[in-house]
């Protein structure tokens, strides 16, 4: 009986979509094609790995067995923009990058703040963006934040919190001194005036949301019995 040959496939994360390729060694052009980014030359492909980001050219070959949990972002563009994040080169495919994107892709913890060096060590807020079209390379640094005091509104009452993210459960606790209980009790949490990348929305059990000054939350309970 002839031996069966099983071809392994390799999975990539491109724009939060799972893309499969058969060969562990692929070029930037092949990744674009597998992700449906055609024509390939119309797209910038950014590899985000270990807190950094680099542009992947059409003919550059990558060994997928060495990339681990790396992800890719694509941009329909013919230009690569640059900045430094904590003294490391960081490439991007758009003329702006948001504070949440810098924090997420740069692996910046919640208890650190991001500082824009070109504007006198200005602290970036959750809805800020960094303009990458300016002359020269923007420098962004992170540092341990001082004790936070962020004012938000929960059910029409002002609350001062000291963390950058709130969970669904914590918002219920902020809304009700004694939350109603019972197997038929259901909570609804909605918000507005949030960060630019997610200015409004709703939360369900287990969710959490990044906080900015002036966010407004509405927390209601319903008895389904």
């Amino acid at each position: 009986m002839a031996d069966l040959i099983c071809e392994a496939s390799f999975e990539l994360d491109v724009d939060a979509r799972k893309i499969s390729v058969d060969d562990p060694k692929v070029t930037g052009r092949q990744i674009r094609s597998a992700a449906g980014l055609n024509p390939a030359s119309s797209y910038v492909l950014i590899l985000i790995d270990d807190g950094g980001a680099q542009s992947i050219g059409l003919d550059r070959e990558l060994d997928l067995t060495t990339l681990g949990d790396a992800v890719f972002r694509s941009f329909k563009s013919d230009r690569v923009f640059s900045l430094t994040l904590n003294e490391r080169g960081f490439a991007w495919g758009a003329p702006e990058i948001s504070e949440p994107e810098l924090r997420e892709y740069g692996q910046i913890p919640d208890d650190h703040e991001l500082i824009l060096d070109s504007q006198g060590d200005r602290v970036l807020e959750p809805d800020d963006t960094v303009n990458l079209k300016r002359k020269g390379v923007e420098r962004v640094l992170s540092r341990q934040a001082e004790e936070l005091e962020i004012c938000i509104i929960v059910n029409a009452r002002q609350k001062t919190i000291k963390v950058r993210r709130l969970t669904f459960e914590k918002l219920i606790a902020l809304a009700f001194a004694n939350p109603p209980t019972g197997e038929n009790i259901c909570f609804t949490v909605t918000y507005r005036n949030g960060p630019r990348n997610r200015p409004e929305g709703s939360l369900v059990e287990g969710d959490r949301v990044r906080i900015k000054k002036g966010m407004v939350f509405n927390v209601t309970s319903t008895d389904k019995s």
Side-chain angles (χ1 to χ4, degrees):
M1 180 181 296
D3 293 335
L4 295 177
I5 300 177
C6 296
E7 293 187 0
S9 64
F10 297 84
E11 199 169 69
L12 305 176
D13 184 323
V14 182
D15 298 330
R17 295 183 297 126
K18 297 301 182 182
I19 307 298
S20 293
V21 296
D22 295 330
D23 195 325
K25 293 186 177 180
V26 292
T27 65
R29 187 186 304 275
Q30 290 170 322
I31 294 173
R32 289 167 172 84
S33 178
L37 304 174
N38 298 306
S41 58
S42 294
Y43 290 86
V44 168
L45 187 67
I46 302 295
L47 168 62
I48 300 165
D49 186 25
D50 193 27
Q54 56 181 298
S55 174
I56 304 300
L58 292 171
D59 298 320
R60 179 175 170 185
E61 185 177 82
L62 296 176
D63 185 348
L64 302 181
T65 63
T66 66
L67 291 185
D69 295 329
V71 300
F72 296 86
R73 280 284 309 272
S74 72
F75 301 84
K76 193 166 186 180
S77 173
D78 59 0
R79 181 179 172 187
V80 176
F81 298 86
S82 299
L83 69 150
T84 64
L85 178 58
N86 288 334
E87 305 297 339
R88 296 181 60 187
F90 200 99
W92 202 238
E96 291 184 337
I97 184 168
S98 69
E99 193 269 2
E101 287 171 322
L102 279 169
R103 184 175 294 277
E104 176 184 358
Y105 296 131
Q107 299 178 2
I108 308 301
D110 285 346
D111 60 353
H112 282 59
E113 57 191 8
L114 288 168
I115 310 299
L116 187 57
D117 181 68
S118 66
Q119 295 187 15
D121 292 342
R122 179 171 70 86
V123 176
L124 293 173
E125 298 296 333
D127 59 351
D128 278 343
T129 60
V130 177
N131 183 355
L132 304 180
K133 293 188 295 184
R134 300 178 191 275
K135 185 177 179 180
V137 177
E138 289 285 8
R139 296 177 64 247
V140 180
L141 304 171
S142 69
R143 69 185 180 196
Q144 182 78 37
E146 298 179 0
E147 186 174 6
L148 295 173
E149 288 193 354
I150 305 174
C151 292
I152 62 173
I153 305 297
V154 181
N155 286 4
R157 296 190 299 273
Q158 182 172 300
K159 302 286 184 178
T160 300
I161 59 171
K162 298 185 178 183
V163 293
R164 291 190 182 274
R165 296 181 190 267
L166 285 176
T167 64
F168 176 86
E169 292 76 16
K170 179 61 176 178
L171 282 160
I172 292 172
L174 287 172
F176 300 101
N178 295 292
T181 59
E183 60 181 13
N184 293 316
I185 296 297
C186 177
F187 291 97
T188 299
V189 177
T190 60
Y191 68 88
R192 56 187 173 87
N193 295 348
R196 184 178 301 181
N197 69 318
R198 195 179 172 188
E200 59 183 34
S202 60
L203 304 177
V204 297
E205 186 175 354
D207 280 350
R208 63 176 187 163
V209 66
R210 190 132 194 270
I211 301 302
K212 61 165 285 193
K213 181 180 179 180
M215 282 183 77
V216 178
F217 292 88
N218 188 40
V219 183
T220 58
S221 65
T222 304
D223 190 337
K224 293 185 176 181
S225 59

